[in-house]
Amino acid sequence: MGKLKNKIVVITGGAGGIGSGMAKAMVNEGAIVTIVDVNKESGESMEKELQAISPQSMFLQADLMDHDNLEQIISTVVNKYGKLDVLVNNAHASRQKTMEETTQSDLDLSFGTGFYPTFYLMKAALPYLKETKGNIINFASGAGLNGHKTQGAYAAAKEAIRGISRVAANEWGEFGINVNLISPIANSPGVEAWAKAQPQYYEAVKNNIPLGRFGDIEQDIGPVAVFLASDDSQYVTGQTIMVDGGSIMLH
Ligand SMILES: NC(=O)c1ccc[n+]([C@@H]2O[C@H](COP(=O)([O-])OP(=O)(O)OC[C@H]3O[C@@H](n4cnc5c(N)ncnc54)[C@H](O)[C@@H]3O)[C@@H](O)[C@H]2O)c1
């Protein structure tokens, strides 16, 4: 307990799925968490849950597609709490289509919710993370690493996120800022929707998990996010941490 005592954390897409699992794991370790999400109803309900443990935690409603307002997310948090320790770029929306079917609008959705907010929030957070020698946690996917069918727009944005994460790890290491990625597999509303739409791919992914099950957003992904947000990971940077039951074993 207390590994993240008084750390100020921002988690995008924190109202549901993995973002909410990480938020709960982090407040249980003493963090003060701001969840940023487009979904007002689930954001307000998650805010209540978090505040029961960490009264200063809050929900900010924002559509990450609105790139002009991303800086304001960081300034709102810093104005309220006086600092920023951890930025978690977790939100990402996409449509599953074959390469042949993929349109500009599909690319815009995936890059607009995944890549661009990650890039601009990292830049907006930089001056504050320099002050705290903070941590950034970004999100990768096996779909990008392995090039899963029907995931062209998503895979491209995810690998772009891995690219800038490694560049930032190199450029910002001198400031004591660590930048890592989690590549998860976990049950979430996003996965449930995908499983319904593409049951054959869902089964294939499930059957390829050595640990034999989909992960839990709080119990399986949460502790790894806590580690990467904490001082315990001070000598880890530029890494893609596979929290996927062993599905992909990096060489
Ligand atoms: N769940 C998995 O097995 C899995 C596998 C690989 C990668 N990932 C990655 O992990 C992260 C979390 O995945 P998840 O399964 O929990 O996702 P999810 O779809 O279940 O939840 C995403 C959250 O982001 C929010 N969001 C979506 N668009 C938004 C926008 N424009 N502005 C603000 N908020 C927005 C949603 O409201 C939701 O609360 C994502 O980056 C995803 O690509 C997940």
Side-chain angles (χ1 to χ4, degrees):
M1 294 296 279
K3 276 183 187 294
L4 302 179
K5 197 163 188 300
N6 295 329
K7 290 224 189 252
I8 303 301
V9 180
V10 170
I11 303 178
T12 67
I18 290 172
S20 65
M22 293 189 293
K24 286 193 237 171
M26 288 189 186
V27 295
N28 279 323
E29 290 291 344
I32 297 165
V33 176
T34 298
I35 50 169
V36 180
D37 209 289
V38 70
N39 188 325
K40 188 164 186 276
E41 203 183 321
S42 46
E44 285 175 350
S45 140
M46 189 51 56
E47 181 184 60
K48 280 202 192 99
E49 268 192 60
L50 297 177
Q51 285 179 345
I53 299 157
S54 165
Q56 290 190 77
S57 289
M58 68 169 170
F59 164 56
L60 278 184
Q61 191 191 13
D63 184 349
L64 298 172
M65 280 292 263
D66 186 356
H67 301 151
D68 291 338
N69 284 335
L70 294 172
E71 270 188 42
Q72 209 185 320
I73 293 170
I74 301 296
S75 59
T76 303
V77 168
V78 173
N79 287 341
K80 182 169 162 96
Y81 303 111
K83 63 166 185 160
L84 175 66
D85 296 287
V86 181
L87 169 65
V88 186
N89 289 300
N90 160 81
H92 201 149
S94 64
R95 300 182 195 106
Q96 288 83 44
K97 292 185 180 177
T98 62
M99 288 280 284
E100 210 175 357
E101 293 163 345
T102 297
T103 62
Q104 182 65 47
S105 140
D106 301 321
L107 292 171
D108 289 346
L109 175 69
S110 183
F111 279 81
T113 58
F115 175 77
Y116 285 113
T118 298
F119 178 74
Y120 289 123
L121 286 172
M122 285 171 74
K123 279 184 62 162
L126 176 61
Y128 308 106
L129 295 176
K130 278 183 183 175
E131 286 171 15
T132 55
K133 297 191 190 309
N135 294 296
I136 296 174
I137 305 172
N138 291 335
F139 269 76
S141 171
L145 287 153
N146 272 353
H148 291 168
K149 287 178 185 175
T150 76
Q151 302 279 10
Y154 177 66
K158 281 303 195 203
E159 289 298 281
I161 289 170
R162 278 197 342 122
I164 57 163
S165 302
R166 289 190 291 233
V167 171
N170 276 313
E171 290 185 355
W172 300 349
E174 66 176 292
F175 308 124
I177 299 172
N178 299 39
V179 186
N180 291 292
L181 303 109
I182 290 176
S183 182
I185 288 187
N187 275 317
S188 69
V191 163
E192 278 161 29
W194 168 67
K196 256 192 206 149
Q198 298 192 318
Q200 72 280 28
Y201 293 132
Y202 172 79
E203 285 303 319
V205 168
K206 198 170 111 189
N207 293 335
N208 191 41
I209 301 175
L211 290 179
R213 61 180 175 83
F214 260 68
D216 179 83
I217 54 173
E218 188 178 351
Q219 302 302 323
D220 293 318
I221 313 300
V224 180
V226 165
F227 166 69
L228 290 176
S230 77
D231 298 339
D232 287 348
S233 62
Q234 62 187 1
Y235 201 54
V236 181
T237 198
Q239 304 304 315
T240 301
I241 312 293
M242 306 307 299
V243 195
D244 65 352
S247 294
I248 295 177
M249 302 191 188
L250 295 180
H251 297 287

